[in-house]
Amino acid sequence: MIALTANPAFESLSHEAQIRAAVLKCFCDSSLEPWSRFDRLSSNDWQRLLHWLDVSGLALSFLDRILELQLRHRLPPAIVARLEQNLRDNTERTLDMIAESTAIQIEFQRASFSYAVLKGFSFCPIAVPRPELRSQLDLDFLIAEKDAPEARRILESRGYQLHAVSGRSWEFKTPYTHKGTLADLYKALPFHCVELHLETGSEARNSLLERVERRDFNGITTPVLPAADLFFGQGMHLFKHVCSEFSRTAHLLEFWRHVVARRDDPAFWQKVKTIAEASPRAALGLGVVTLLTTRTMSDFAPDAFTCWTVDRMPAAVRLWVELYGYRSVLGDFPGSKIYLLLQRELEIAGIGPKRSAREVLLPLKLPPPIAIAPEDESLLERFRRYRGQFKFVFFRLSFHSVEGLRYLRERMRWRRKLSELQRQSAHPHRGASSLPLELAGTARCETKE
């Protein structure tokens, strides 16, 4: 594996971003060094950090790490108290989601069709120690395409309405006009969201539903994906979010935990490689998220995994991670459009985007409704729902305007960096260490093999 040195991009981070980077280091560094950065934080620093911990999904895991290391005395009492209240609220919310998932699964089992629980609770305990530490927003199920109508009927009988269809994913929501504030993030609300992911008949030869494993969870037998498929899906899901406006940093931590737990299992990594060989985007996607996690957390992945992922990444893709990885991981909601620079390099590597850069920069459609109106909606509730939707549309319009201009400015810098990389590759110094990055990685990998 290529030696991964400290990223000089860290030195250019803002004060606020360096604080966020220290949070990530707290999870992978058992020493007290990362915690020293929190000793000098002002009240405003803490409020901004709390906001980021909420939107990144890391708040509860951060509290768990504090308690694990017995370091609550290092933080202001009010901050610890706030996080502990969040955990109590989220525990109640998680129990409500588990109960809802169980009830839906019982209906699915009565209907006698195959399904599997995706993401979420299936990550416990290997990627998430306890379910209440995760800010889970919805329930995800994989089902056969032929069973989709019956699954829809079951969900509608429980009060859900079909909210959106995107490719092979159907999103269902229960009617509820919520405030959409961070204060509601951890609370149990009378609102649920379910996504059905359809497995088509053309996938029968490599059917995930034919390979599910059974796990006892909350009193019922729950089908989940096999270990290697679960990890593969997690990595590719993270890659999808990296190639988007905003990626929740908690997904990165969960990926790091998963890899560390399987680090010394060569048979596992061989299974993952076999699965990845069926997807042209898999090796590159897993390489991106692994290098990104390495740069922002630690050198954590085994050679058996990085040899065919990180070490074989195109030089331009690696350069994007080096220059913009921290910004991607440590950014605030709603994110940025810097991923479009990566999208272009992925397209050159043979991974086409779902939407062109022009469609992303100049969207011609209004965003979908953020809430479904209940049947007995009052006039006041309707006014609040319309007001919330108007604020959301204005929010998205402002985002597209500001981040579009930032992207155009950054694209000029990116082109200069690519030119420098091409000149360096065209005139390498003698020796293997001076090979273009993607060739150097391949040479090392093939030597080991």
Side-chain angles (χ1 to χ4, degrees):
M1 186 179 72
I2 298 176
L4 300 174
T5 57
N7 193 336
F10 177 83
E11 301 302 326
S12 64
L13 292 178
S14 66
H15 169 68
E16 190 170 355
Q18 290 192 18
I19 295 171
R20 296 172 182 179
V23 170
L24 282 177
K25 290 296 182 183
C26 289
F27 292 104
C28 54
D29 189 339
S30 58
S31 73
L32 297 181
E33 193 278 329
W35 298 91
S36 63
R37 185 171 290 272
F38 305 121
D39 295 338
R40 303 183 297 274
L41 298 191
S42 67
S43 176
N44 288 336
D45 286 334
W46 274 113
Q47 291 308 311
R48 288 193 293 269
L49 179 58
L50 283 175
H51 174 83
W52 180 76
L53 288 171
D54 289 334
V55 298
S56 69
L58 287 175
L60 303 179
S61 292
F62 185 55
L63 172 64
D64 188 62
R65 185 63 170 165
I66 292 169
L67 300 179
E68 178 188 2
L69 298 179
Q70 300 181 354
L71 294 176
R72 61 185 303 154
H73 63 280
R74 297 291 296 264
L75 277 67
I79 301 301
V80 177
R82 198 272 218 180
L83 293 173
E84 289 178 331
Q85 182 60 54
N86 293 153
L87 180 58
R88 287 191 291 270
D89 290 341
N90 201 61
T91 299
E92 181 181 352
R93 182 175 184 270
T94 301
L95 291 174
D96 176 68
M97 293 188 72
I98 290 175
E100 181 66 12
S101 174
T102 301
I104 292 173
Q105 290 185 67
I106 290 174
E107 293 293 329
F108 284 180
Q109 292 176 10
R110 286 174 180 169
S112 299
F113 58 74
S114 299
Y115 74 94
V117 172
L118 296 180
K119 299 181 287 186
F121 301 132
S122 68
F123 288 150
C124 297
I126 192 166
V128 182
R130 303 190 306 279
E132 66 269 21
L133 298 179
R134 196 170 197 266
S135 298
Q136 186 164 331
L137 304 178
D138 55 20
L139 303 172
D140 292 85
F141 299 96
L142 175 70
I143 65 168
E145 188 176 32
K146 63 182 179 61
D147 294 321
E150 177 64 10
R152 176 177 179 175
R153 185 198 65 77
I154 290 172
L155 291 176
E156 289 178 343
S157 71
R158 297 189 58 79
Y160 290 86
Q161 295 179 24
L162 182 61
H163 180 68
V165 175
S166 176
R168 292 178 293 172
S169 297
W170 294 9
E171 183 184 38
F172 294 82
K173 291 184 178 181
T174 55
Y176 177 64
T177 305
H178 57 88
K179 299 177 182 178
T181 63
L182 283 177
D184 293 337
L185 181 63
Y186 305 103
K187 296 184 180 297
L189 301 173
F191 168 77
H192 291 106
C193 180
V194 170
E195 285 194 19
L196 298 181
H197 304 270
L198 312 187
E199 183 178 84
T200 64
S202 62
E203 298 170 314
R205 289 186 178 182
N206 193 32
S207 172
L208 285 172
L209 292 174
E210 294 294 328
R211 305 200 304 272
V212 296
E213 298 177 351
R214 308 289 172 177
R215 184 190 301 176
D216 291 334
F217 186 71
N218 197 42
I220 66 169
T221 301
T222 297
V224 298
L225 299 184
D229 292 283
L230 180 66
F231 173 80
F232 177 78
Q234 181 187 20
M236 296 308 293
H237 180 72
L238 175 55
F239 176 58
K240 183 186 77 171
H241 282 280
V242 170
C243 300
S244 67
E245 295 167 354
F246 179 72
S247 177
R248 300 184 82 203
T249 316
H251 294 161
L252 202 79
L253 173 62
E254 292 168 4
F255 181 75
W256 179 84
R257 282 173 170 159
H258 207 153
V259 173
V260 170
R262 299 286 188 180
R263 184 183 178 100
D264 299 322
D265 186 352
F268 174 82
W269 298 114
Q270 183 56 49
K271 290 179 182 178
V272 173
K273 184 177 181 181
T274 300
I275 295 170
E277 287 171 349
S279 171
R281 62 190 287 124
L284 183 50
L286 293 173
V288 168
V289 298
T290 302
L291 181 59
L292 187 60
T293 308
T294 299
R295 287 300 190 229
T296 52
M297 294 191 69
S298 68
D299 191 356
F300 71 117
D303 290 358
F305 181 46
T306 58
C307 188
W308 55 273
T309 55
V310 176
D311 291 352
R312 295 186 174 179
M313 288 169 54
V317 175
R318 177 184 289 270
L319 179 64
W320 184 91
V321 175
E322 302 287 1
L323 290 179
Y324 301 110
Y326 275 111
R327 188 183 305 189
S328 173
V329 170
L330 305 177
D332 216 335
F333 183 81
S336 73
K337 295 182 184 289
I338 299 301
Y339 76 95
L340 291 175
L341 302 174
L342 173 62
Q343 178 175 289
R344 173 60 180 163
E345 302 309 320
L346 293 174
E347 191 174 1
I348 294 173
I351 300 179
K354 290 186 177 180
R355 293 193 300 162
S356 67
R358 179 170 296 183
E359 291 175 311
V360 174
L361 291 170
L362 298 172
L364 300 179
K365 295 182 180 179
L366 290 174
I370 57 176
I372 296 178
E375 292 183 1
D376 56 348
E377 183 181 41
S378 67
L379 185 61
L380 179 59
E381 289 173 333
R382 182 178 302 176
F383 170 76
R384 288 173 176 170
R385 181 166 57 85
Y386 284 162
R387 182 180 61 181
Q389 186 67 27
F390 175 79
K391 288 182 177 179
F392 180 64
V393 170
F394 181 77
F395 171 74
R396 293 299 298 174
L397 180 61
S398 300
F399 167 77
H400 287 304
S401 301
V402 173
E403 292 303 326
L405 292 174
R406 286 178 177 170
Y407 162 76
L408 294 175
R409 182 185 62 188
E410 198 63 39
R411 188 173 64 174
M412 298 174 63
R413 175 174 178 252
W414 173 246
R415 287 175 173 174
R416 290 196 300 269
K417 292 294 183 180
L418 281 180
S419 297
E420 293 174 8
L421 178 65
Q422 290 166 359
R423 287 195 298 270
Q424 179 185 355
S425 300
H427 303 285
H429 301 293
R430 295 183 181 276
S433 62
S434 62
L435 288 171
L437 289 175
E438 77 277 20
L439 297 180
T442 304
R444 288 173 172 82
C445 194
E446 290 175 348
T447 300
K448 292 182 63 174
E449 291 174 352

